[in-house]
Amino acid sequence: MTCLDYRTAGESHGPSCMVIVEGMPAGVRLNMDVVNKELRRRQGGYGRGARQRIEKDTLDIQTGLRQSVTIGSPIVGSVVNKDHRIDTAPKVNRPRPGHADLAGSVKWLTTDCRETLERASARETAARVAAGAIVRSLLAEFDIQIVGYVVQIGSVIAQNIDQMPADQLIAARNSNEVYCPDASQSEAMIGAIRQATKDKDTLGGIVEVCAFGLPIGLGSCWRWQDKLDGRLMQAVGSIQAFKGVEIGLGFGCAERPGSQVHDEIDFDPSTRNTPGLGFVRRSNNAGGLEGGMTNGQPLVIRGVMKPISTLLRGLDSVNLLSKASERSDYERSDVCAVPAASVVAENVVAFEIARVFLEKFSGDTLTEVRAAYDFFLKAACRLGTDPGQAGS
Ligand code: EPS
């Protein structure tokens, strides 16, 4: 059986962005509406550039399905780039500080940054979103909901979104153009992006992803490679332009004593038959992860995106041919892509969750995955009432 995994390929102005998803169990009905809706959301958000008026992203799936249902073989899909002009696009010799231009050009021994920027471009995130959105058809079978949204743009910070249930978060986030569940701050966020546009500048921010309905025990503390917190940090931290990731209280843990950090445990028998198995917490500073494993609380992860490195006003740089000091090249770009990044973060988190879910509840078919899941929940529910039960 193949472990769930995915690869992406494609250049920003090449013919298409490609994705290959391997290890999806057979028997999952793929909801293409979800996939294409996520791709559309990724293209949106206030602050996007002119490229998004050219592209109309949808996923064309070529393999792995029969009558819209997975057969267990690799799923290959592509998103067409309407702005396909990689062979004629101009050379870029003045690297943009903050972009992959300089490091990539030196690494691949070229003075034309285009060769690096085409693949380094955040256009690649269309394929990542497609991969995450594909596996959401599996997660939906187990009522796992994952919601990504914006919590900060520039210095404007969302308030009062803790404790919102999934459906409320989704509705609030969808009500404005910056994908922020705190509608009272969304206008100020839009205003900040408008000001950055006037200043020929760019803006970053913070996105948050919350996952609901996760059973206890996804991930592992046995090997560092299997710890779910580390795996999520790589997934989110590898999104283009991300510079930091935190889980739950994150860096806020540093200033508090343990008594104000750790989430004390209660038992509520009325929630015994939920994925949390009745174990409830008075807070969720751990962000749903302890020891690299899910603990039955909502999983909360945040990532910070730096401002886009292509500024209309340019930045001081060096011409790679002459070594003379010059302003960096301007490539058409976004002023703020934080709302789009929240969609990317949501879907890369979805993929990692599907991956650990199938590690624990593995099976070639959805039927077997469901049987493993049901068996585990039943056994976990009996914990403490069935002496000597471990693994038996
Ligand atoms: C990007 C530069 C811009 C963005 C692009 C990311 O591309 P272009 O120069 O073609 O306008 O639009 O993002 C996307 C194309 C996308 O679909 O997200 C960059 O340099 O990273």
Side-chain angles (χ1 to χ4, degrees):
M1 198 189 60
T2 318
C3 295
L4 188 70
D5 203 359
Y6 76 102
R7 301 237 181 279
T8 72
E11 282 69 41
S12 180
H13 304 97
S16 60
C17 303
M18 311 281 298
V19 64
I20 304 180
V21 176
E22 291 180 303
M24 266 289 265
V28 179
R29 177 164 297 280
L30 211 66
N31 189 336
M32 286 307 290
D33 287 345
V34 167
V35 174
N36 290 323
K37 206 174 96 214
E38 289 301 280
L39 288 173
R40 259 197 313 280
R41 280 204 315 120
R42 192 204 69 90
Q43 284 201 271
Y46 194 84
R48 292 290 252 161
R51 176 79 184 267
Q52 301 313 322
R53 292 198 287 277
I54 302 172
E55 304 297 343
K56 297 272 173 299
D57 294 352
T58 54
L59 189 70
D60 178 21
I61 293 195
Q62 285 119 37
T63 68
L65 296 182
R66 184 155 188 257
Q67 295 170 354
S68 303
V69 178
T70 58
I71 54 174
S73 61
I75 299 171
V76 175
S78 63
V79 177
V80 161
N81 289 327
K82 289 185 190 285
D83 195 18
H84 169 203
R85 54 181 167 87
I86 189 168
D87 291 336
T88 53
K91 289 190 169 164
V92 174
N93 299 123
R94 292 164 298 192
R96 293 158 294 173
H99 213 285
D101 297 355
L102 177 63
S105 298
V106 173
K107 180 176 170 66
W108 283 289
L109 297 176
T110 171
T111 53
D112 183 3
C113 304
R114 177 157 305 280
E115 287 168 23
T116 302
L117 73 84
E118 283 289 335
R119 176 69 183 149
S121 164
R123 178 80 186 139
E124 185 260 353
T125 61
R128 291 205 224 190
V129 167
I134 284 172
V135 301
R136 292 175 84 158
S137 292
L138 170 73
L139 296 177
E141 294 282 341
F142 298 93
D143 297 324
I144 293 173
Q145 275 181 296
I146 298 163
V147 192
Y149 43 88
V150 169
V151 294
Q152 183 168 346
I153 288 184
S155 58
V156 187
I157 302 172
Q159 314 286 339
N160 308 321
I161 53 179
D162 294 351
Q163 318 287 332
M164 272 196 192
D167 292 340
Q168 203 181 326
L169 266 177
I170 293 171
R173 165 198 83 184
N174 291 349
S175 72
N176 60 76
E177 278 188 282
V178 279
Y179 304 170
C180 174
D182 178 1
S184 73
Q185 295 303 314
S186 61
E187 276 309 311
M189 288 178 176
I190 289 170
I193 298 170
R194 220 176 263 143
Q195 188 58 48
T197 311
K198 273 192 205 142
D199 297 340
K200 300 187 174 169
D201 215 325
T202 57
L203 269 189
I206 298 178
V207 303
E208 184 168 281
V209 180
C210 205
F212 300 88
L214 305 178
I216 297 181
L218 299 183
S220 177
C221 57
W222 276 189
R223 301 192 319 145
W224 65 265
Q225 294 94 329
D226 299 334
K227 287 176 175 259
L228 182 54
D229 35 18
R231 295 162 74 170
L232 287 167
M233 284 179 184
Q234 186 188 0
V236 174
S238 65
I239 299 171
Q240 285 80 343
F242 274 54
K243 293 302 259 186
V245 185
E246 62 178 11
I247 288 173
L249 188 56
F251 280 70
C253 291
E255 67 198 25
R256 299 191 190 186
S259 57
Q260 288 169 39
V261 169
H262 301 298
D263 310 310
E264 290 182 294
I265 307 172
D266 292 311
F267 189 74
D268 171 9
S270 72
T271 61
R272 197 182 182 125
N273 291 321
T274 66
L277 303 167
F279 297 104
V280 291
R281 304 297 183 104
R282 297 174 199 169
S283 52
N284 188 19
N285 292 329
L289 287 166
E290 287 167 320
M293 296 170 285
T294 51
N295 66 4
Q297 299 301 298
L299 190 155
V300 184
I301 183 164
R302 273 179 298 282
V304 57
M305 184 185 201
K306 68 188 179 186
I308 299 274
S309 50
T310 312
L311 277 66
L312 198 50
R313 58 155 94 170
L315 288 166
D316 287 344
S317 183
V318 168
N319 188 315
L320 292 182
L321 296 167
S322 65
K323 309 293 188 297
S325 293
E326 289 176 17
R327 294 296 267 182
S328 52
D329 276 317
Y330 179 71
E331 279 279 297
R332 177 189 60 196
S333 192
D334 308 306
V335 172
C336 177
V338 178
S342 72
V343 183
V344 181
E346 174 178 309
N347 284 287
V348 299
V349 166
F351 201 94
E352 293 316 307
I353 287 172
R355 206 197 295 264
V356 287
F357 190 88
L358 287 179
E359 283 168 11
K360 179 142 181 66
F361 310 116
S362 63
D364 289 310
T365 62
L366 177 60
T367 307
E368 290 156 280
V369 173
R370 190 183 299 289
Y373 177 80
D374 291 344
F375 177 88
F376 169 74
L377 282 194
K378 226 183 268 165
C381 257
R382 285 203 311 270
L383 264 181
T385 60
D386 202 354
Q389 172 197 21
S392 62

